[in-house]
Amino acid sequence: AMEKQDPSFNVSRKTNKNWSTMIALDKVGDQLDPSVLYSFSLIPFAVAGAVNGDKGPGSAKWFCQLGFGTEKKFHTVDELKAYLKVVDKTIPYVREQEMPGVSSGNLINFVSDEELEKAIHRKCFHIAKSIQCSKSLNSIADASR
């Protein structure tokens, strides 16, 4: 719409090859030490974090966002488990004495079989679309005054 109102206003759209799906780290409850997040520096990317748990801000529900270069569909729990075992091998080595409870090869241990079953039915979302405008809306508003 802005392109029709102002001929100098241009919009460019880009799409990158980034897709993701989420899994809940449901076996850890709200007891996971936040320092475990350092172990998720992966390629392909994985982002771990938490949202408020059932008891509000004092509790947590942990999750992991797994990234892919294309749309990914896991057809069986065993297929997803095999992928997570590969991911575990890419987690940077963390010495147990530096971060108790955090070590390479433990992502699969944070996820129940029930959650893995749910995860194979989740849609993998395309997350890398961007729009860039040649002007900000503020500059357009200022020019019209």
Side-chain angles (χ1 to χ4, degrees):
M2 292 302 298
E3 294 167 292
K4 292 178 183 174
Q5 295 177 28
D6 181 350
S8 67
F9 186 85
N10 298 309
V11 176
S12 63
R13 291 169 173 80
K14 293 182 182 180
T15 301
N16 293 321
K17 296 178 181 179
N18 289 336
W19 295 77
S20 76
T21 194
M22 303 293 278
I23 58 172
L25 305 180
D26 62 334
K27 286 176 70 175
V28 298
D30 59 4
Q31 303 302 310
L32 189 63
D33 183 333
S35 64
V36 78
L37 300 180
Y38 292 111
S39 71
F40 289 98
S41 311
L42 309 173
I43 296 176
F45 76 87
V47 176
V51 294
N52 287 342
D54 296 332
K55 299 174 189 170
S59 64
K61 286 186 178 182
W62 292 90
F63 64 88
C64 183
Q65 176 187 15
L66 299 173
F68 312 99
T70 60
E71 186 172 8
K72 180 77 173 158
K73 172 73 177 149
F74 296 100
H75 300 285
T76 66
V77 169
D78 287 338
E79 184 183 355
L80 178 53
K81 280 183 177 181
Y83 176 80
L84 292 177
K85 287 177 183 176
V86 170
V87 168
D88 277 342
K89 291 178 183 176
T90 67
I91 294 174
Y93 176 73
V94 179
R95 290 191 305 220
E96 179 69 22
Q97 63 269 28
E98 291 176 2
M99 295 177 158
V102 179
S103 63
S104 299
N106 62 7
L107 175 60
I108 191 74
N109 297 325
F110 297 157
V111 185
S112 70
D113 285 343
E114 180 182 356
E115 172 56 23
L116 293 172
E117 180 65 37
K118 291 177 187 176
I120 66 170
H121 299 288
R122 286 194 190 108
K123 182 170 175 47
C124 185
F125 288 96
H126 187 222
I127 59 168
K129 295 179 181 179
S130 66
I131 297 176
Q132 185 175 7
C133 301
S134 60
K135 294 182 177 183
S136 71
L137 293 178
N138 289 338
S139 67
I140 293 168
D142 291 344
S144 66
R145 290 184 189 152

